[in-house]
Amino acid sequence: RGMQHVMQAYTADGRIADDMTMLVLQTPAEAAGAREWRFEMPRAMTQLKALHTFVEAHGRDGGLDEVQASALALAAVELASNAVRHGGHAEDGGPLEFIFRAAPDACQLELFYTGTPFSPPRTLAPDFSGGSEGGFGLFIIRESCDAVRYGHADGVNHATLVKRLHAALAASAGG
């Protein structure tokens, strides 16, 4: 996954002896009405606005209304912020890689990054008394999405955020 992997495959693992600026545009086959966009960012808090813009725009393109797209973008920023703060150091951890998929019934954002394994608590009880300076990010993520999944394999953390379209929610509720 990621730009470096694509470049290595393209060059048959040959070394590139010069500095390089890389842009990889992938246009996957659109299966069953699904569309996909990719976004890669350095591990830097300064990149969070670009991520927010990316998620919100593609959420709207994928059929989410303004409120839903904003909620998914907020969850994405919290997720990336946690990865930057707690997932390892920027200089040795590589970029954060996002894949946004829009299907007829839902939008899904996946995050892949190398770093410290992360396993969230089963239950969240944020402290709203003012005595805590943190711990709200996971709560915001869960409250902003319809489904959230985390995993870790071979040194790579993987998180998935899902936001169902209002039409799909209404159909599943029978109205």
Side-chain angles (χ1 to χ4, degrees), residues 105-166:
D105 61 340
C107 288
Q108 172 181 292
L109 181 71
E110 291 182 278
L111 165 61
F112 298 89
Y113 66 98
T114 57
T116 308
F118 175 72
S119 182
R122 284 192 161 302
T123 59
L124 295 174
D127 178 9
F128 293 111
S129 70
S132 175
E133 291 185 26
F136 298 103
L138 293 176
F139 179 78
I140 291 169
I141 292 166
R142 285 192 183 161
E143 290 298 310
S144 299
C145 297
D146 296 310
V148 179
R149 295 182 296 276
Y150 296 94
H152 183 87
D154 299 324
V156 178
N157 284 303
H158 175 214
T160 305
L161 309 178
V162 177
K163 191 74 174 167
R164 288 191 276 290
L165 278 61
H166 279 313

Side-chain angles (χ1 to χ4, degrees), residues 6-167:
V6 171
M7 184 56 110
Q8 287 172 338
Y10 178 75
T11 62
D13 288 330
R15 291 198 43 89
I16 298 172
D18 198 357
D19 290 339
M20 128 179 86
T21 299
M22 203 174 1
L23 172 66
V24 175
L25 176 63
Q26 296 177 317
T27 53
E30 295 184 11
R35 293 172 289 159
E36 180 177 290
W37 298 271
R38 293 174 182 260
F39 180 78
E40 187 173 293
M41 64 176 253
R43 290 186 193 205
M45 300 298 272
T46 58
Q47 300 298 309
L48 296 178
K49 181 153 180 52
L51 173 63
H52 187 279
T53 300
F54 169 82
V55 173
E56 195 165 43
H58 290 302
R60 298 287 287 152
D61 289 344
L64 296 176
D65 66 28
E66 187 176 340
V67 172
Q68 289 176 301
S70 291
L72 186 56
L74 174 63
V77 166
E78 288 295 332
L79 185 66
S81 175
N82 284 346
V84 169
R85 286 188 182 131
H86 309 295
H89 299 290
E91 57 274 1
D92 60 1
L96 303 180
E97 297 179 37
F98 295 88
I99 301 172
F100 189 104
R101 290 187 182 92
D105 61 340
C107 288
Q108 172 181 292
L109 181 71
E110 291 182 278
L111 165 61
F112 298 89
Y113 66 98
T114 57
T116 308
F118 175 72
S119 182
R122 284 192 161 302
T123 59
L124 295 174
D127 178 9
F128 293 111
S129 70
S132 175
E133 291 185 26
F136 298 103
L138 293 176
F139 179 78
I140 291 169
I141 292 166
R142 285 192 183 161
E143 290 298 310
S144 299
C145 297
D146 296 310
V148 179
R149 295 182 296 276
Y150 296 94
H152 183 87
D154 299 324
V156 178
N157 284 303
H158 175 214
T160 305
L161 309 178
V162 177
K163 191 74 174 167
R164 288 191 276 290
L165 278 61
H166 279 313

